[in-house]
Amino acid sequence: MAGTRFRQVTREALGNILREVKIAAKPTPKPEKWVFLVGCYNSGTTLLSELMGRHPSISALPTEGHFITDQFLKDYDLGIPRMWVDREDIFCLNENDEGPDVARIKKEWGMRLDLKKPVLVEKSPPNAARTRWFQKHFENAHFIGIVRNGYAVAEGISRKGDPKSIKDGWPIDKSAWQWARSNQIMLDDAQKLNNFHMIRYEDLASSPQDELNKIASFLGLEAFPDLSTQNFAIHERNDSVKDMNASSIKKLSEADIAQINETAGFMLDRLGYSRLPG
């Protein structure tokens, strides 16, 4: 038993050494633009990243960037999956914060990116609270914020609560607050960003080519190739781009809707989403 444990520790130590060697040898990415996709959980950041990664000038990380670096604490590790607003003191960073090791983050991300491409894309929902910090430390940083109907998002966050941490999912009021507060921080901080472009999930789902070409214009790139006939693997579902709001909202009870209105009504109003009766 002790021998097995020793071999396991030795393998882990060797793996850590090899990782450090790889990071040290990796060149620091120097793209024309760093692009950060930000928005609340369940708002379409994964879909948007997958779509943008089809552009010939763009390389997008294959998963959320905060999972690829050891410089950011993860919501899952803290027992608050999809609920970073419970610890704003940890997740929020601005230009006055020293924060983590910038060079290391770039190298860790660079190991998973095609550095021949001029535009490098990262997406992590908690980064909605770090845009001002990224603007200071990442050259020519551009930000694309995506928002989605709060009823659908709150339902999704509640339903997808990690059973290891949240046995029956998050209460709907907490999920609604995660949506409202994360968007509030993102939109307020966007006023201090040099390059910020906002889209709606609903517009992306209904007219993906048009929305992507607006993004291309924002980034100074040629138009996207025709993606109308392509399917995309999003959260284990391989399908064309579709608006999934109706199926999510259908799962909400009247009490759920009333709670969302009470908790997040101010953000529904700010973003122009009609309140449902409840």
Side-chain angles (χ1 to χ4, degrees), residues 19 26 29 34-36 59 61-70 72 102-115 120-124 127 130 133-134 138:
R19 173 175 168 79
K26 189 72 178 179
W34 283 98
V35 178
F36 297 92
S59 177
L61 284 171
T63 187
E64 294 177 11
H66 66 151
F67 291 137
I68 300 175
T69 177
D70 57 15
F72 291 127
V102 176
R104 185 177 179 87
I105 294 172
K106 291 177 180 178
K107 287 193 170 192
E108 288 176 314
W109 288 349
M111 293 170 68
R112 305 291 295 277
L113 290 163
D114 182 353
L115 301 187
L120 304 181
V121 172
E122 189 278 342
K123 74 98 180 176
S124 298
N127 285 345
R130 302 170 178 142
W133 185 84
F134 281 117
F138 283 70

Side-chain angles (χ1 to χ4, degrees), residues 149-163:
N149 187 298
Y151 297 103
V153 173
E155 186 280 325
I157 292 174
S158 291
R159 172 167 42 85
K160 295 180 179 180
D162 182 1

Side-chain angles (χ1 to χ4, degrees), residues 43-186:
S43 291
T45 55
T46 300
L47 171 62
L48 181 56
S49 179
E50 171 69 17
L51 290 168
M52 288 184 63
R54 306 294 176 98
H55 194 285
S57 296
I58 292 175
S59 177
L61 284 171
T63 187
E64 294 177 11
H66 66 151
F67 291 137
I68 300 175
T69 177
D70 57 15
Q71 292 299 295
F72 291 127
L73 290 172
K74 284 74 170 170
D75 49 358
Y76 283 83
D77 293 341
L78 294 170
I80 50 171
R82 298 175 179 267
M83 196 59 61
W84 66 257
V85 298
D86 265 11
R87 292 301 308 273
E88 286 187 35
D89 59 314
I90 290 176
F91 288 96
C92 289
L93 291 172
N94 63 41
E95 63 275 0
N96 298 316
D97 295 311
E98 290 188 8
D101 187 332
V102 176
R104 185 177 179 87
I105 294 172
K106 291 177 180 178
K107 287 193 170 192
E108 288 176 314
W109 288 349
M111 293 170 68
R112 305 291 295 277
L113 290 163
D114 182 353
L115 301 187
K116 299 184 184 69
K117 303 290 182 69
V119 177
L120 304 181
V121 172
E122 189 278 342
K123 74 98 180 176
S124 298
N127 285 345
R130 302 170 178 142
T131 54
R132 290 161 59 185
W133 185 84
F134 281 117
Q135 176 169 260
K136 180 178 179 180
H137 295 288
F138 283 70
E139 302 80 6
N140 200 15
H142 284 59
F143 302 89
I144 300 172
I146 184 168
V147 297
R148 183 182 180 186
N149 187 298
Y151 297 103
V153 173
E155 186 280 325
I157 292 174
S158 291
R159 172 167 42 85
K160 295 180 179 180
D162 182 1
K164 294 180 181 178
S165 304
I166 311 298
K167 182 179 179 181
D168 298 316
W170 289 109
I172 199 68
D173 61 329
K174 287 184 69 68
S175 299
W177 179 241
Q178 168 63 49
W179 175 78
R181 180 59 178 155
S182 62
N183 281 324
Q184 183 180 39
I185 292 172
M186 179 184 73

Side-chain angles (χ1 to χ4, degrees), residues 192-206:
K192 298 188 177 182
L193 301 177
N194 297 325
N195 303 293
F196 180 81
H197 176 75
M198 192 176 85
I199 71 170
R200 291 176 177 269
Y201 163 85
E202 295 80 12
D203 295 334
L204 181 66
S206 63

